[in-house]
Amino acid sequence: MILKDNKSKKYVKNTFENKIICGETLSVLKKMPANSVQTIITSPSYFLQKEYENKSENFQDYLKNHREIIKESRRVLKKNGAIFWNVAQTVQEGEILPLGAIFYNIFKDLNFFLKNWIIWKFEGGECPRTRLFGRYENVLWLVKNKDEFIFNIDDIRVPTKWLKDKRVRNDGKNPEDFWILDDRKNIDKLNLIKSKLGKYKKLISEKKKDYVNQILMDEITRDIEDQLNDMLETKEKILNKNLQDNIWHINRVVNISKKEKIKHPKTKKAHPCPFPERLIERIIKMSSNKNDLVLDIFSGSGTVMKVANQLNRKWCGIDMDKEYCEIAEIRVKNKN
Ligand SMILES: C[S@@+](CC[C@H](N)C(=O)[O-])C[C@H]1O[C@@H](n2cnc3c(N)ncnc32)[C@H](O)[C@@H]1O
């Protein structure tokens, strides 16, 4: 399943379908035929001196090289194709540089059209001392042709709170462009509520009736009533439903415990920044159909390929690191 990049050949479409290509992105892309890929979902390096980055290039070289990659990406995309470009910010000599804005200008210059600027919110992450915490990333959804693109809204609708409003569709609404993806099981959420109710009971049983305590009780009661009303007005039963309604909350994979990190089985090398699968699932569902080809041009641990495979899409990944390619191969094969 891993294809080593061969410098002398051009690829034909079926050579790279359902393959992980171990090679340098620009050189591989240049050998791919035009108009062959439906969706590219990717996250480049953020120029943060991570282990997999090219340490010898300066920031201007980094942008120049990525511009070439984006240009080739446009060529391999189908006429109605799209690219999802995930970046955060980088830090240069103590100054924050917003990579989303910087790359947007490059995409615009190369004739892409922005459909949405998605904010993906998570917990954890950097802990700087001289500025606020950065707790979100950007996913720029750009299309090759502004009049022709895939948007399977029915596959990604989310529950709406306002079922009584006749203007609102009962099968759900469009997700917002601000994605808080909640991965907790509903039963865990219920247990959390139970434990909070326990604390609430304790407060009631406290005999002293001081002013602050009364305000606190009033606040909590109002909150609980609001939440319960929201929940009870929804159609499905609590256990089948996300209690946060239209909000999904998903944390980054790097926040999970050391034990659960995605590692190479022999060398134990772990990928530092895998995509969360649910983020990718929503993107693949909305931007491609069954049997379409989904490509990640910096595929790392292979999350995009794994999810694309599960959703019956064809897939392809490119990464220059042999061990990451091997991790990806195992993840795609195992389907878990
Ligand atoms: C941010 S990570 C992507 C992680 C991936 N989204 C996942 O789910 O695991 C970037 C990846 O790009 C690869 N990479 C960086 N520059 C590259 C280049 N010029 N050619 C090929 N791969 C490259 C790195 O090895 C790294 O695995």
Side-chain angles (χ1 to χ4, degrees):
M1 219 192 294
I2 298 181
L3 189 72
K4 269 196 155 180
D5 185 27
N6 176 337
K7 291 203 161 49
S8 63
K9 277 194 197 147
K10 283 219 174 257
Y11 294 126
V12 286
K13 196 172 163 215
N14 58 12
T15 324
F16 58 82
E17 275 180 5
N18 297 343
K19 300 264 173 20
I20 298 159
I21 308 177
C22 193
E24 202 281 319
T25 300
L26 185 59
S27 125
V28 174
L29 274 175
K30 280 191 168 160
K31 291 179 213 157
M32 288 187 169
N35 305 316
S36 51
V37 176
Q38 187 60 54
T39 304
I40 297 177
I41 307 168
T42 205
S43 182
S45 60
Y46 295 174
F47 203 76
L48 286 170
Q49 306 305 312
K50 292 235 183 219
E51 56 184 76
Y52 53 73
E53 295 186 17
N54 177 353
K55 312 260 183 335
S56 63
E57 64 182 6
N58 62 32
F59 190 58
Q60 287 317 314
D61 293 337
Y62 161 86
L63 291 179
K64 215 168 122 205
N65 293 339
H66 281 81
R67 186 191 157 89
E68 285 309 299
I69 289 172
I70 293 168
K71 201 167 145 194
E72 281 304 309
S73 299
R74 190 172 201 286
R75 189 186 61 78
V76 302
L77 277 176
K78 285 182 160 181
K79 199 173 151 215
N80 64 347
I83 184 163
F84 292 79
W85 189 259
N86 166 224
V87 277
Q89 56 196 22
T90 196
V91 187
Q92 288 286 290
E93 294 169 12
E95 187 189 3
I96 289 285
L97 298 184
L99 287 181
I102 293 169
F103 276 113
Y104 168 76
N105 287 328
I106 297 179
F107 278 104
K108 210 49 223 148
D109 200 37
L110 293 171
N111 273 329
F112 277 93
F113 300 91
L114 186 68
K115 292 294 301 171
N116 271 119
W117 187 302
I118 299 157
I119 300 295
W120 157 36
K121 164 95 185 83
F122 49 79
E123 304 301 322
E126 59 167 353
C127 297
R129 291 183 188 182
T130 56
R131 59 175 184 275
L132 306 179
F133 286 179
R135 288 282 190 271
Y136 70 90
E137 296 211 4
N138 314 276
V139 181
L140 278 65
W141 170 22
L142 299 125
V143 290
K144 192 168 172 179
N145 182 340
K146 70 176 162 32
D147 301 314
E148 213 184 319
F149 52 86
I150 295 181
F151 181 41
N152 296 324
I153 176 59
D154 288 337
D155 295 345
I156 58 158
R157 288 189 185 280
V158 289
T160 174
K161 277 184 191 170
W162 314 109
L163 286 175
K164 284 184 185 156
D165 185 334
K166 289 208 173 61
R167 292 166 304 177
V168 172
R169 296 175 55 124
N170 275 356
D171 58 349
K173 61 169 193 171
N174 292 21
E176 293 85 359
D177 53 6
F178 185 92
W179 293 5
I180 306 177
L181 302 165
D182 195 338
D183 232 6
R184 291 173 304 165
K185 294 203 175 83
N186 285 329
I187 196 73
D188 296 333
K189 295 178 196 170
L190 273 182
N191 286 338
L192 199 70
I193 292 173
K194 272 190 202 156
S195 107
K196 289 194 175 152
L197 281 176
K199 286 184 191 154
Y200 180 65
K201 249 181 164 174
K202 204 167 155 235
L203 273 178
I204 296 174
S205 67
E206 273 173 18
K207 293 280 177 299
K208 63 175 184 349
K209 291 255 177 299
D210 66 32
Y211 179 66
V212 175
N213 208 13
Q214 189 54 51
I215 291 177
L216 188 61
M217 293 300 295
D218 289 349
E219 284 277 317
I220 298 173
T221 310
R222 237 191 335 265
D223 276 0
I224 292 178
E225 279 176 356
D226 283 352
Q227 289 285 326
L228 282 179
N229 272 342
D230 271 0
M231 279 159 45
L232 296 173
E233 277 175 14
T234 53
K235 247 167 101 186
E236 298 161 60
K237 293 215 173 77
I238 290 169
L239 279 175
N240 294 327
K241 191 170 179 349
N242 188 330
L243 295 191
Q244 287 215 331
D245 266 317
N246 47 19
I247 297 177
W248 292 17
H249 179 112
I250 199 165
N251 269 334
R252 297 188 309 174
V253 182
V254 281
N255 293 337
I256 61 180
S257 73
K258 269 191 187 159
K259 221 169 77 199
E260 287 175 272
K261 279 206 161 152
I262 296 169
K263 287 189 198 142
H264 191 283
K266 286 196 190 126
T267 64
K268 304 292 173 211
K269 176 166 157 173
H271 199 285
C273 45
F275 275 140
E277 291 178 25
R278 287 192 51 207
L279 180 83
I280 300 308
E281 185 185 320
R282 182 183 270 180
I283 294 176
I284 292 180
K285 281 183 176 170
M286 74 188 239
S287 69
S288 67
N289 295 317
K290 286 195 177 145
N291 287 321
D292 281 342
L293 179 60
V294 176
L295 167 68
D296 185 346
I297 57 176
F298 301 105
S299 55
S301 65
T303 318
V304 169
M305 290 104 83
K306 178 185 168 186
V307 179
N309 192 35
Q310 283 167 347
L311 295 174
N312 299 314
R313 269 66 171 175
K314 293 188 183 116
W315 48 267
C316 174
I318 307 170
D319 204 290
M320 62 189 175
D321 187 295
K322 187 170 158 275
E323 282 170 274
Y324 293 157
C325 291
E326 286 167 359
I327 295 175
E329 187 185 27
I330 293 166
R331 290 184 77 210
V332 180
K333 260 194 207 156
N334 288 351
K335 291 197 171 184
N336 58 31

